Amino acid sequence: MPHPLPRPLEILPSGPLHGTVAVPGDKSISHRSLMLSALAVGESRIEGLLEGEDVLATAAAMRAMGADIQRGSDGIWTVNGVGVGGLLQPETAFDMGNSGTSTRLLMGLVASHPITTTFTGDASLSKRPMGRVIEPLSRMGADFTSSPGGRLPLMVRGLNPAVPIDYTLPVASAQVKSAILLAGLNTPGITRVIEPIATRDHSERMLRGFGAELSVEETNQGRIISLVGEAELKPQSIVVPGDPSSAAFLVVAASIVPGSDVLVMNVGLNPTRAGLFEALRMMGADIVEENPRIVGGEPVADLRVRHAPLRAIEVPAHLAPSMIDEYPVLFVAAAFAEGRTIARGAHELRVKESDRITAMADALGACGVAVEEYEDGAAIQGNGGGPIAGGATIASQLDHRIAMSMAVAGLGAKSSLTIDDVSPIATSYPMFLETLDALKGSQTVAAS
Ligand code: S3P
């Protein structure tokens, strides 16, 4: 994937935000819809797929392994799958760009097929740990040659038939869980993943939806997920709900900019994803759920968000897995709250697209906010709701969520701030900046 030139952007302080916006499709669910559709025999249909760079990287890889994937002029995607066990040897290496989810989940798929493939990625992805997936997938019989430290570029040689395992997750990671389950699809016998701490359950929901035999047991040791291998998946018609992780930026923006009143449509509220909204409500945010409904087997609602004075909280550590991608923007909310917010128990932030603890401490620090870093989180001194200083140039560090968080912070700054590179935003929310502009000018913006 060509790496775009850095795109700097100046973010100007904003007046009240008004309007109705629809967020784009959920990134986690979009990846999984393409992968499972590609493993079903027959034609699946996907509506609301996120057309961001990360998901397009997954689509390219599934095409390279034999699936027929097309986008209709109506925005609906159709996938003709090859069946579990039917993936073909790709002709070239997979360039996964910035996408950790594509990489880790695809490593699982390849692990139990007679395929050898190489994964490469951008500078951010090449720093991220892959040992967490290499270890269980090696136990299933796949063979890996990785760069030092278990990083990309790496080569996977799948084993067929692979060996089923019982595996207790050492880190709370839906990517690791999903990689093992996806490998288990083409493995004889029962593959079991034990999750001491529950993580997002989109894979389980969707595997069941496609007809796989999967059971989940809640026990004292956590959730035990058992999948019967050599599954036959049946094609589905999928509607992808809006991404709560994308909605998060708009919800925080409306909460911190005085006078704002925004309706964010179509927000996925799966309880394994909705931790940020709970934390914001604890801080005093005014978020009302309207029109609750089920979309694609997931709870969804529209969120009406009005500006409200926020107060500091101690963010409950048990919320970490359900808001793991939302800490950067939570830190922004904390900067506008009254008092000192403390968020701990989130070590995983260190190994995301960037080290998100240091990245946000540096970014907010440069804007005049006092942030104390901990190994597993941060304490943020809020300014009581007034504007933060701003006036700095921020490094987005190839991390979409740092760029979007600081674009939100800039709306409430005294002086404009500059983000050195906003191009990573295209990985998950290509229309984000246009959506913010529309809210400043009060228009309705469709998802994209
Ligand atoms: C994801 C899981 C999370 C999350 C990532 C998407 C997924 O990663 O941070 O953005 O789709 O399974 P971890 O599995 O590393 O926690």
Side-chain angles (χ1 to χ4, degrees):
M1 213 169 284
H3 297 156
L5 289 174
R7 201 182 130 209
L9 186 74
E10 188 180 359
I11 306 286
L12 304 174
S14 172
L17 304 174
H18 284 286
T20 299
V21 291
V23 287
D26 188 281
K27 184 152 78 73
S28 292
I29 297 175
S30 294
H31 285 297
R32 288 157 173 82
S33 335
L34 287 170
M35 291 181 196
L36 294 188
S37 298
L39 289 175
V41 180
E43 183 169 295
S44 291
R45 187 178 175 281
I46 311 171
E47 197 180 322
L49 187 86
L50 168 65
E51 296 176 358
E53 287 169 1
D54 282 9
V55 174
L56 298 180
T58 290
M62 297 317 295
R63 277 194 191 109
M65 291 191 288
D68 177 29
I69 304 179
Q70 312 277 350
R71 180 191 192 276
S73 52
D74 52 1
I76 293 181
W77 290 65
T78 50
V79 180
N80 270 285
V82 294
V84 170
L87 294 178
L88 304 177
Q89 172 65 45
E91 282 172 12
T92 53
F94 290 154
D95 180 352
M96 304 308 342
N98 191 254
S99 183
T101 309
S102 311
T103 306
R104 294 188 175 127
L105 271 55
L106 289 168
M107 283 166 69
L109 278 184
V110 169
S112 60
H113 280 77
I115 287 177
T116 298
T117 189
T118 300
F119 289 87
T120 65
D122 70 3
S124 151
L125 185 57
S126 302
K127 285 191 211 139
R128 300 184 66 186
M130 297 297 151
R132 54 182 61 195
V133 240
I134 293 175
E135 203 256 327
L137 297 176
S138 302
R139 290 202 205 176
M140 296 180 82
D143 187 49
F144 292 86
T145 308
S146 63
S147 299
R151 289 170 215 276
L152 262 48
L154 64 74
M155 193 174 76
V156 189
R157 188 172 300 113
L159 179 71
N160 185 248
V163 182
I165 55 169
D166 279 16
Y167 191 76
T168 302
L169 292 182
V171 278
S173 164
Q175 292 178 353
V176 177
K177 166 175 68 177
S178 303
I180 300 166
L181 293 174
L182 290 173
L185 272 179
N186 194 38
T187 300
I190 297 179
T191 295
R192 241 181 230 107
V193 181
I194 299 123
E195 263 199 327
I197 299 166
T199 65
R200 64 190 69 193
D201 62 355
H202 307 302
S203 295
E204 296 93 301
R205 287 176 189 244
M206 200 176 284
L207 279 164
R208 275 211 190 109
F210 271 84
E213 259 182 79
L214 178 138
S215 66
V216 179
E217 216 186 316
E218 308 281 349
T219 71
N220 289 341
Q221 300 122 59
R223 298 173 77 234
I224 304 181
I225 304 144
S226 306
L227 173 73
V228 179
E230 299 183 303
E232 251 184 61
L233 303 187
K234 292 172 204 65
Q236 300 297 309
S237 204
I238 299 167
V239 183
V240 180
D243 197 325
S245 299
S246 296
F249 301 105
L250 307 175
V251 170
V252 171
S255 297
I256 64 168
V257 178
S260 297
D261 184 349
V262 170
L263 183 64
V264 188
M265 308 278 286
N266 186 32
V267 183
L269 291 177
N270 178 316
T272 63
R273 294 289 300 283
L276 174 77
F277 306 126
E278 199 175 325
L280 287 174
R281 284 195 177 108
M282 287 170 68
M283 296 173 81
D286 181 356
I287 305 170
V288 178
E289 282 172 30
E290 296 180 355
N291 189 16
R293 56 203 183 269
I294 299 290
V295 175
E298 301 264 350
V300 164
D302 305 326
L303 301 182
R304 173 96 187 257
V305 190
R306 296 183 185 85
H307 168 259
L310 302 179
R311 51 185 179 273
I313 58 166
E314 203 161 307
V315 183
H318 77 263
L319 287 181
S322 63
M323 55 178 285
I324 194 65
D325 292 336
E326 282 64 75
Y327 280 91
V329 80
L330 173 87
F331 292 176
V332 172
F336 289 85
E338 178 82 57
R340 185 172 146 97
T341 293
I342 300 175
R344 304 207 64 163
H347 286 103
E348 280 292 299
L349 296 178
R350 299 255 178 221
V351 291
K352 295 293 179 187
E353 286 82 332
S354 67
D355 173 340
R356 287 180 172 163
I357 298 174
T358 299
M360 285 306 294
D362 289 352
L364 287 172
C367 292
V369 180
V371 182
E372 184 183 349
E373 261 191 60
Y374 305 119
E375 187 44 40
D376 63 345
I380 299 103
Q381 185 59 51
N383 65 356
I388 60 171
T393 295
I394 305 302
S396 63
Q397 310 209 17
L398 288 178
D399 188 332
H400 53 140
R401 300 204 196 278
I402 302 301
M404 288 187 275
S405 296
M406 292 312 295
V408 169
L411 302 176
K414 224 177 267 156
S415 318
S416 69
L417 60 82
T418 300
I419 299 173
D420 69 341
D421 183 13
V422 292
S423 63
I425 293 174
T427 61
S428 68
Y429 197 163
M431 289 289 283
F432 173 70
L433 294 167
E434 289 81 352
T435 303
L436 273 193
D437 280 346
L439 288 176
K440 291 184 193 172
S442 299
Q443 290 160 31
T444 298
V445 171
S448 159

